[in-house]
Amino acid sequence: MKNINICIAGLGNVGSALVNLIENNSNFIHHKADLKINILGISAKNKNKKRVFNANRYNWYDNPIDLLMIEGKSPDILIELIGFEKDISYDLVKAALTNKINVVTGNKAMLAKYGHDLFKIAEENNVLLLFEAAVAGGIPVIKALKNNIFLNKIKKISGILNGTTNYILTTMEKENKSFDEVLKDAKEKGFTSDHESKLDIGGYDAAHKLTLLTTIAYGAKIDFDLNDVEGIDRITIQDINFVKQLGYKIKLISESSIIDDKVFASTKPKLIPIDNPIANTKGALNAINIETDQLDNLYLEGEGAGGSPTASSVLSDVLEISSESNIFSLGYSYNKLKQFEKFNSSNVESKYYLRVRVVDQPGVLSKITSYFNDNNISIEKILQIPDSDNESMPIVITTHKIRAEELITSVKKISDLDFILDKISLIPIEH
Ligand code: HSE
């Protein structure tokens, strides 16, 4: 039987679920994996906080750096679940790696921004820095990319990488509620906090995760600046109801591929046809579709957040380290990663959905359509739906494929017409 000594820094939902899991499943882990996991020490901000396990049973350290040397002994693995983008999380992980201690982390923000240093330090010190828990909670997408399909040529990765925004969008639709109402509800249910919601709603949390997927999929140097990021805060319940009539759902889609030897990486709201499984990803679930030269669609769906699902991913990394895997942390040796240029997303062609609120007066629709005609924008569908407000009228248009840049230039000009009442809502359509 193999003994593995770990320390845990950060005892929020995931850290606490991990301790609980190791306590409750120790016999099961022992029998199934021939492994005994010993928790040498734990650390968090507040020792007296109520938790799902009894913190008094473990050696407690107020300063997580003290976990790196306990009674003259270093752990085999430091588990970092504090989650700051830099500061103590970065200092702790860096100190552990420099001291030849393996690290398991769920910290996507830190890895997407500072992973370029940390993975290099890990490799120089011959230790692993594993992060299954950092992307899509309990879904084993990192190991799928790094192990199972590492020898596939990845064509495209796309999906839903943030549970909070998916919960908000699906609940808005289900309960016909506004964005603000459902965001409040999501905070009350503990899906997101005031601090986290900026990263969730703004699309940054999903883009952090996409940065890591892009690195493993294409061997790209970690570079958060390759991402185009847009969040869901401008999505209205009107948009959600209109797109439903057109056969779509709005989802926050993260996608990356290599185009013209450049990285295209985008996190943005998109209209997804309702017969696409991604459109039916409910509540706080995540879903990822991977297209390769050998697999048309590898579709993974599951719990992308939460204590137990994310702790399951942490444990899978503990198992990988204990099995003395010699697969690099990122699949590739750090020196093999290539610095890609960013593909200019205004060159991407797509169909688009537009919602325009106009003054309800004769000639408005024909003016808009003739404007589209003059600017070579081909309309696919048009809907004009009177609502209770007699003064104004929403017009919904879908276009055929057009380059983003051309459409945006035209939309800016239409926005200046005097009968346009609001900012024009513009969302690409998946095809
Ligand atoms: N806040 C994230 C989400 C979970 O809502 O998906 C942690 O990444």
Side-chain angles (χ1 to χ4, degrees):
M1 189 189 51
K2 178 140 200 184
N3 262 292
I4 195 115
N5 295 324
I6 67 168
C7 285
I8 305 171
L11 296 164
N13 269 348
V14 180
S16 297
L18 179 67
V19 177
N20 218 14
L21 183 61
I22 293 170
E23 277 184 6
N24 294 339
N25 286 5
S26 68
N27 284 339
F28 169 78
I29 295 170
H30 182 175
H31 283 116
K32 194 158 187 185
D34 227 5
L35 184 65
K36 184 162 185 311
I37 303 172
N38 307 307
I39 302 176
L40 293 189
I42 58 177
S43 171
K45 224 167 30 189
N46 177 2
K47 185 172 181 188
N48 300 318
K49 190 175 140 185
K50 200 169 171 343
R51 296 193 166 85
V52 291
F53 68 97
N54 180 1
N56 293 324
R57 295 180 57 184
Y58 299 95
N59 294 321
W60 179 277
Y61 296 87
D62 287 329
N63 185 350
I65 294 283
D66 293 339
L67 293 172
L68 303 184
M69 185 61 73
I70 295 176
E71 292 161 12
K73 194 168 167 188
S74 286
D76 300 305
I77 307 175
L78 170 85
I79 298 180
E80 187 276 318
L81 298 168
I82 301 171
F84 289 159
E85 183 179 305
K86 204 160 188 236
D87 307 318
I88 184 63
S89 294
Y90 177 87
D91 295 342
L92 178 65
V93 169
K94 189 173 172 182
L97 297 172
T98 311
N99 284 290
K100 302 197 184 303
I101 299 169
N102 298 287
V103 173
V104 171
T105 180
N107 193 334
K108 50 244 131 197
M110 174 185 74
L111 294 180
K113 292 285 184 69
Y114 306 103
H116 48 84
D117 289 346
L118 296 173
F119 286 106
K120 193 160 173 264
I121 297 171
E123 205 171 312
E124 283 165 0
N125 284 282
N126 247 320
V127 283
L128 291 171
L129 167 55
L130 300 187
F131 55 98
E132 185 69 70
V135 182
I139 304 178
V141 63
I142 299 299
K143 286 187 184 60
L145 281 168
K146 208 176 78 170
N147 304 353
N148 310 56
I149 60 166
F150 192 64
L151 295 181
N152 282 215
K153 293 178 187 160
I154 312 294
K155 294 182 181 168
K156 183 177 175 184
I157 295 185
S158 58
I160 296 169
L161 298 178
N162 182 267
T164 301
T165 43
N166 202 53
Y167 171 82
I168 292 175
L169 292 171
T170 48
T171 309
M172 282 171 78
E173 189 212 330
K174 200 165 95 202
E175 297 180 9
N176 199 29
K177 283 187 176 161
S178 72
F179 173 82
D180 289 336
E181 275 175 288
V182 181
L183 174 59
K184 192 164 161 268
D185 173 41
K187 284 185 186 166
E188 279 163 13
K189 287 207 159 81
F191 285 126
T192 191
S193 61
D194 282 341
H195 163 70
E196 259 183 293
S197 68
K198 291 195 183 74
L199 296 178
D200 289 329
I201 306 302
Y204 298 103
D205 174 74
H208 289 147
K209 295 167 182 167
L210 185 66
T211 305
L212 298 170
L213 293 180
T214 301
T215 289
I216 302 188
Y218 314 111
K221 267 202 175 144
I222 296 182
D223 184 355
F224 183 73
D225 294 339
L226 294 173
N227 291 278
D228 283 317
V229 189
E230 189 183 308
I232 63 157
D233 47 346
R234 65 188 176 90
I235 304 295
T236 64
I237 183 63
Q238 286 82 7
D239 289 319
I240 289 178
N241 289 332
F242 284 135
V243 308
K244 201 171 176 182
Q245 295 182 49
L246 295 167
Y248 297 103
K249 300 227 175 156
I250 302 177
K251 295 288 182 191
L252 181 66
I253 298 296
S254 300
E255 55 187 321
S256 76
S257 55
I258 302 291
I259 309 177
D260 298 339
D261 204 30
K262 295 179 179 161
V263 165
F264 167 65
S266 159
T267 294
K268 280 187 184 166
K270 271 187 126 175
L271 264 58
I272 308 293
I274 43 170
D275 57 1
N276 181 327
I278 297 251
N280 296 302
T281 309
K282 301 261 177 348
L285 294 181
N286 283 190
I288 302 153
N289 194 58
I290 306 173
E291 296 167 38
T292 83
D293 62 335
Q294 293 165 56
L295 299 163
D296 285 344
N297 292 291
L298 170 63
Y299 185 70
L300 302 165
E301 182 183 299
E303 289 157 275
S308 297
T310 313
S312 149
S313 285
V314 172
L315 206 53
S316 77
D317 284 344
V318 171
L319 183 64
E320 182 171 335
I321 292 170
S322 74
S323 67
E324 290 171 27
S325 149
N326 52 15
I327 294 177
F328 292 105
S329 302
L330 289 164
Y332 303 79
S333 160
Y334 191 84
N335 298 324
K336 280 208 174 153
L337 298 176
K338 171 174 167 186
Q339 181 65 58
F340 279 91
E341 279 178 49
K342 179 177 175 174
F343 182 79
N344 181 353
S345 61
S346 55
N347 287 329
V348 172
E349 275 203 339
S350 179
K351 291 170 150 196
Y352 278 88
Y353 156 94
L354 287 93
R355 181 173 53 83
V356 192
R357 182 170 286 277
V358 297
V359 179
D360 188 6
Q361 66 187 28
V364 164
L365 189 56
S366 68
K367 269 191 202 148
I368 294 178
T369 51
S370 69
Y371 198 90
F372 270 62
N373 203 16
D374 293 347
N375 289 278
N376 240 344
I377 301 169
S378 175
I379 293 176
E380 184 194 51
K381 283 185 197 157
I382 190 154
L383 270 177
Q384 180 179 285
I385 307 166
D387 59 15
S388 50
D389 172 1
N390 292 326
E391 310 280 298
S392 68
M393 169 88 78
I395 295 175
V396 168
I397 296 168
T398 62
T399 70
H400 285 290
K401 272 189 174 181
I402 180 161
R403 272 181 63 236
E405 193 173 22
E406 284 170 58
L407 183 64
I408 289 164
T409 312
S410 299
V411 165
K412 275 194 187 133
K413 288 185 191 151
I414 296 176
S415 300
D416 292 339
L417 299 173
D418 56 4
F419 53 78
I420 302 290
L421 294 174
D422 283 346
K423 195 169 185 300
I424 299 177
S425 175
L426 187 66
I427 310 176
I429 303 176
E430 179 71 34
H431 48 84

